[in-house]
Amino acid sequence: FLVDPLDGTKEFIKQNGMYAVLISLMENNRPTLGVIHAPVSNETWYAELGKGSFKINPDGSKVALSVSKAPADVRVAVSASHLTEVTSDYMKENLRAFETHPIGSAIKFCRIAEGKVDVYPRLGPTSEWDTAAGEIIIFEAGGKVLQYENKELIQYNKESLRNPWFIAFGDDLENLN
């Protein structure tokens, strides 16, 4: 298991509600089950390999998740506390017209899986426990999380627990340019 009991520490300190609890089951160095829970909004997203991606709303209702086709203005999830100049430059150079949506913690992955945003470029440091649950949730909703430069999946259970830079997206990455 990979567990992050408080993803979005800066958001927690700011008391803006954009933090979450992340739990992932890993098999053969890949996430096969993931749960992300946002305590303040009482939203829970989860997925299991081959069984789909779902959201439990605050009222207890459950809905299946599916990524959306990117609209004319690409909706970009950006970190509410960690937006870097490198990420800003990437958006200007690689995305067609776009609008940014500041979101804290791994909730960004969930918003892609829900079809509310289209892409999340993370060109900065993260660790394995920050991405595993979100990766399976996006994957089961029809999207992907790929390493920034070589476009391969993130590798887990490696010597360094740091992730490479990555791009999480719903629609085909080529459709966002």
Side-chain angles (χ1 to χ4, degrees):
F1 283 94
L2 284 176
V3 177
D4 189 346
L6 181 57
D7 183 57
T9 308
K10 288 185 180 191
E11 312 316 318
F12 179 79
I13 292 168
K14 292 177 187 176
Q15 297 182 2
N16 65 17
M18 291 190 288
Y19 60 91
V21 177
L22 317 179
I23 303 170
S24 318
L25 175 63
M26 307 299 289
E27 296 180 52
N28 298 316
N29 300 325
R30 303 291 321 143
T32 59
L33 177 76
V35 178
I36 296 177
H37 177 70
V40 172
S41 64
N42 196 29
E43 297 170 282
T44 302
W45 301 265
Y46 68 95
E48 185 176 354
L49 187 62
K51 295 189 178 178
S53 187
F54 302 90
K55 177 182 179 183
I56 301 173
N57 292 304
D59 66 3
S61 63
K62 182 171 104 172
V63 64
L65 302 179
S66 181
V67 299
S68 65
K69 290 284 184 195
D73 285 352
V74 177
R75 300 163 300 178
V76 185
V78 296
S79 176
S81 296
H82 302 285
L83 181 59
T84 64
E85 186 175 334
V86 174
T87 302
S88 294
D89 290 345
Y90 168 83
M91 292 185 299
K92 292 173 192 169
E93 295 168 11
N94 294 284
L95 300 175
R96 63 175 185 259
F98 65 89
E99 58 186 45
T100 59
H101 295 257
I103 303 170
S105 76
I107 295 171
K108 292 180 279 297
F109 293 102
C110 303
R111 298 299 184 220
I112 292 172
E114 289 178 287
K116 292 183 176 179
V117 294
D118 306 301
V119 62
Y120 165 38
R122 182 57 186 244
L123 310 182
T126 60
S127 297
E128 292 184 355
W129 50 82
D130 295 317
T131 57
E135 182 177 342
I136 188 68
I137 289 169
I138 285 179
F139 179 77
E140 285 296 314
K144 291 184 181 172
V145 179
L146 300 177
Q147 291 182 41
Y148 171 65
E149 291 181 341
N150 62 14
K151 307 289 193 275
E152 294 178 4
L153 295 173
I154 293 175
Q155 299 301 310
Y156 292 90
N157 196 30
K158 54 197 181 303
E159 189 170 318
S160 169
L161 298 177
R162 288 284 188 191
N163 288 324
W165 291 359
F166 63 85
I167 311 290
F169 56 96
D171 198 358
D172 182 6
L173 193 54
E174 300 305 316
N175 291 338
L176 303 175
N177 298 330

